[in-house]
Amino acid sequence: MAGVLFRRAVKVTLCVVCVLPPHLQVSVHYTSGFNYILNLFQSADIATALGHHATADDILATAHQLGAEFHQYWYHANNASYADGRQTAFALALHLKDVVPAAVRANVSDGLLNAIVARQGTHISTGIIGAKALFPVLSAMGRTDVAVDLLQQTTWPSWGFMAFNNLEPATTLWELWSAPWTGPGMNR
């Protein structure tokens, strides 16, 4: 029975579009599962705010069950990572309430830092989905220094590169990290 609810939940969620090239994207099943569980936690908060405590309890029970199945399905104990072990996978798992067990949370947090600093040279490699979770997670870890370092980067890939490069300085955020090399076809 383990994983049944999680797989069913993933099948009914919508595909999430990511701005990274397909070979760099985290599995759509991973991001869909994350968003489904996150939405359950948010729904429970809304139900509580509206005074529907029994409904909130039911939703929370489902969220915790799916969270445990998410961890069981996607966690790799051999290297304390989730899914493909990239920044997005770490950030999404750590962003969910109580999904990463306390016993492995420090190792998973270290894995995120390694994915940012050692593997990417303190450059971002997430798409829009991972970036939304990354900064609150770094803040919760007490690593706002790493968040600031990411934001201050001006070499590719980074938001600073978008604004301060010699190829195509941006006046807004690009749709793709590789926008100067992609050409106008990306906007079709």
Side-chain angles (χ1 to χ4, degrees):
M1 183 75 176
V4 172
L5 215 99
F6 175 73
R7 285 189 293 276
R8 184 172 29 133
V10 169
K11 287 181 184 176
V12 299
T13 56
L14 297 174
C15 176
V16 178
V17 177
C18 186
V19 296
L20 293 172
H23 70 283
L24 293 178
Q25 292 178 14
V26 175
S27 163
V28 68
H29 302 292
Y30 187 83
T31 57
S32 294
F34 160 79
N35 279 302
Y36 191 82
I37 297 165
L38 179 64
N39 289 339
L40 286 171
F41 281 117
Q42 292 168 336
S43 296
D45 290 343
I46 292 168
T48 299
L50 294 173
H52 300 287
H53 300 288
T55 300
D57 291 343
D58 290 344
I59 294 170
L60 278 175
T62 302
H64 286 293
Q65 179 183 352
L66 287 176
E69 291 180 20
F70 183 90
H71 171 75
Q72 181 181 2
Y73 190 84
W74 292 106
Y75 180 69
H76 306 293
N78 61 324
N79 61 3
S81 71
Y82 284 84
D84 63 2
R86 291 195 203 120
Q87 292 175 18
T88 295
F90 282 110
L92 296 185
L94 289 164
H95 189 68
L96 289 170
K97 297 178 190 174
D98 305 322
V99 168
V100 179
V104 298
R105 193 167 188 84
N107 289 338
V108 173
S109 297
D110 288 345
L112 173 60
L113 294 174
N114 181 60
I116 295 169
V117 178
R119 290 194 317 209
Q120 290 297 128
T122 315
H123 284 82
I124 192 153
S125 69
T126 68
I128 56 174
I129 295 169
K132 182 178 178 183
L134 182 63
F135 293 98
V137 165
L138 287 171
S139 179
M141 291 168 49
R143 295 307 307 262
T144 54
D145 59 319
V146 175
V148 169
D149 288 347
L150 283 171
L151 292 170
Q152 290 180 332
Q153 281 291 349
T154 56
T155 54
W156 184 84
S158 69
W159 290 288
F161 179 80
M162 290 180 190
F164 304 109
N165 71 80
N166 295 326
L167 302 170
E168 183 182 335
T171 55
T172 63
L173 292 180
W174 290 338
E175 203 172 320
L176 305 170
W177 290 120
S178 59
W181 303 284
T182 304
M186 74 171 194
N187 294 317
R188 290 185 200 154

